[in-house]
């Protein structure tokens, strides 16, 4: 007889829902933004306060934040007293990154101001971004360190390595690539990297691999 999965395991599937919701917003919100160039412009341009795509972005990404937080919170509950210390700490930091991201970006969206000087709201948005990046890097590094030490968690460590590599490639690319490809590299950092790893964590939880 197959043992019934605990409720937190099913909540792991919300990580995939979160990823798909964000991906849908990234892919389809530009339809409501005339002349938007996804290869050149940042994803955040789609959700600024004066963006014509803001309403569609909010609709498509409505499941992104709540499902992402539910997933990583369920993972945190499931791994209490389990895994290695580095893995647990990495997962806790990853969850903290999610809370900072969802709450911080909701509280301080880009103003979309045409002024040359950034507004206080824009400055706070940049500060939230910096906190999210630092927490993401620290979390992924800890998961890598903890995962490579235990044979059964090596695959998770490999996923974390891929996520971190994409994040770094995206960050470097946005700085050195021609401006017309800024958006391409930025999407590596925020869509495929962190959000993709969230889906991976949720799948591991659903399959009972975080024991």
């Amino acid at each position: 007889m197959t043992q019934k999965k605990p409720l937190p395991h099913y909540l792991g599937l919300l990580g995939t829902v979160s990823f798909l919701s964000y991906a849908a917003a990234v892919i389809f919100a530009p339809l409501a933004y005339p002349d938007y160039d996804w290869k050149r412009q940042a994803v955040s341009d789609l959700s600024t306060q004066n963006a014509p795509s803001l309403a569609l972005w909010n609709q498509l990404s409505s499941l992104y934040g709540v499902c992402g937080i539910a997933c990583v919170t369920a993972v945190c509950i499931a791994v209490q007293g389990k895994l290695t210390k580095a893995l647990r700490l990495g997962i806790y930091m990853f969850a903290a990154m999610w809370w900072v991201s969802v709450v911080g970006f909701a509280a301080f969206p880009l103003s979309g101001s045409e002024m040359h000087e950034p507004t206080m709201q824009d400055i706070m948005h940049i500060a939230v971004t910096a906190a999210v990046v630092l927490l993401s890097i620290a979390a992924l590094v800890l998961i890598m360190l903890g995962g490579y030490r235990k044979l059964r968690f090596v695959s998770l460590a490999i996923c974390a390595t891929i996520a971190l590599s994409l994040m770094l490639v995206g960050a470097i690319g946005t700085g050195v690539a021609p401006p017309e490809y800024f958006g391409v590299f930025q999407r590596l950092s925020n869509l495929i990297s962190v959000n993709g790893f969230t889906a991976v964590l949720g799948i591991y939880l659903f399959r009972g691999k975080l024991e």
Side-chain angles (χ1 to χ4, degrees):
M1 184 176 179
T2 303
Q3 186 177 5
K4 187 176 181 181
K5 293 181 183 292
L7 176 59
H9 286 203
Y10 287 100
L11 294 178
L13 294 175
L14 294 179
T16 300
V17 175
S18 172
F19 175 79
L20 293 175
S21 177
Y22 189 81
V26 171
I27 294 170
F28 295 110
L31 297 176
Y33 194 132
D35 301 323
Y36 179 84
D37 184 352
W38 70 271
K39 291 182 292 185
R40 179 177 58 85
Q41 292 180 256
V43 171
S44 55
D45 289 352
L46 296 168
S47 58
T48 59
Q49 290 183 312
N50 61 358
S53 55
L54 178 60
L56 181 58
W57 173 274
N58 288 338
Q59 290 174 328
L60 294 173
S61 65
S62 58
L63 295 175
Y64 163 66
V66 63
C67 288
I69 284 182
C71 174
V72 294
T73 301
V75 171
C76 288
I77 294 172
V79 302
Q80 289 186 81
K82 302 173 183 177
L83 312 183
T84 65
K85 184 176 181 180
L87 270 172
R88 286 199 310 274
L89 182 57
I91 289 172
Y92 294 158
M93 291 188 70
F94 196 77
M97 176 278 297
W98 259 97
W99 279 96
V100 171
S101 174
V102 172
V103 175
F105 289 136
F108 304 106
L110 282 173
S111 65
S113 173
E114 297 296 330
M115 298 172 59
H116 293 294
E117 292 295 327
T119 65
M120 179 57 67
Q121 183 169 308
D122 293 331
I123 293 173
M124 291 303 299
H125 183 93
I126 294 171
V128 171
T129 300
V132 167
V133 169
L134 291 175
L135 283 170
S136 298
I137 293 174
L140 292 171
V141 168
L142 283 170
I143 291 171
M144 289 163 54
L145 291 175
Y148 283 125
R149 291 177 181 174
K150 292 285 185 177
L151 182 60
R152 71 178 190 272
F153 298 127
V154 168
S155 59
L156 182 62
I158 291 173
C159 290
T161 303
I162 294 171
L164 182 59
S165 299
L166 288 173
M167 181 184 295
L168 294 177
V169 169
I172 294 171
T174 55
V176 302
E180 56 266 29
Y181 295 108
F182 175 88
V184 175
F185 287 97
Q186 201 239 2
R187 280 160 174 76
L188 288 176
S189 295
N190 65 8
L191 172 59
I192 302 176
S193 177
V194 172
N195 294 305
F197 187 73
T198 301
V200 168
L201 266 183
I203 291 171
Y204 271 74
L205 174 61
F206 176 71
R207 297 182 61 192
K209 298 296 186 180
L210 297 177
E211 303 293 338

